[in-house]
């Protein structure tokens, strides 16, 4: 599940990530732009997703990513998902600070990061 956060209407980077993820064999559900917490949570449930991707281009909308992650924590569901964040004003420090699994600087990195996390998740499930 991927989408641009509430208050943000920028989607070129998100669209590139969606296309490259699909090209790499991932099933992508793109929520589009301006997504509230509820939209993410509903899609994660409906799609039984493994990964949540959030995008922001405006510094004013970046904190909304933490709102989404905090909602998952409150519902004791945070560990159910791999959370990847991206967008021009973001960096590794921001990703760590809000509790994301990884910050992805571009679409190619997002695909590689998603593959790595899914391989780890698969190996953990096989071992467990």
């Amino acid at each position: 599940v991927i989408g641009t956060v509430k208050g943000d209407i920028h989607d070129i980077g998100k669209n590139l990530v969606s296309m490259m993820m699909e090209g790499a064999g991932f099933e992508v559900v793109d929520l589009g732009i301006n997504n509230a917490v509820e939209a993410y949570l509903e899609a994660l449930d409906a799609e039984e997703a493994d990964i949540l991707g959030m995008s922001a281009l405006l510094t004013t909308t970046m904190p909304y990513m933490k709102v989404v992650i905090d909602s998952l924590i409150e519902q004791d569901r945070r560990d159910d998902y791999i959370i990847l964040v991206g967008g021009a004003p973001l960096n590794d420090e921001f990703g760590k600070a809000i509790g994301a699994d990884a910050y992805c600087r571009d679409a190619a990195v997002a695909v590689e990061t998603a593959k790595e996390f899914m391989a780890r998740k698969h190996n953990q499930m096989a071992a467990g």
Side-chain angles (χ1 to χ4, degrees), residues 23-101:
F26 286 93
E27 184 182 329
V28 177
V29 176
D30 188 338
L31 303 178
I33 58 171
N34 195 26
N35 286 287
V37 170
E38 297 76 21
Y40 288 112
L41 298 181
E42 286 170 19
L44 289 170
D45 288 340
E47 304 300 332
E48 298 180 7
D50 292 304
I51 301 172
L52 169 59
M54 290 186 286
S55 156
L57 191 71
L58 303 173
T59 55
T60 53
T61 60
M62 286 167 51
Y64 199 78
M65 293 178 170
K66 185 170 179 357
V67 173
V68 176
I69 293 171
D70 287 348
S71 295
L72 287 168
I73 292 168
E74 286 167 19
Q75 296 180 9
D76 202 26
R77 297 170 51 191
R78 167 60 188 93
D79 293 338
D80 297 346
Y81 307 103
I82 297 160
I83 301 179
L84 307 179
V85 296
L90 281 66
N91 58 32
D92 278 327
E93 279 180 41
F94 178 79
K96 286 184 180 82
I98 64 168
D101 289 300

Side-chain angles (χ1 to χ4, degrees), residues 107-126:
V109 171
V111 170
E112 288 311 308
T113 304
K115 284 181 179 177
E116 288 170 20
F117 274 100
M118 287 305 293
R120 256 186 258 163
K121 184 173 184 172
H122 179 75
N123 291 339
Q124 286 172 345
M125 289 169 70

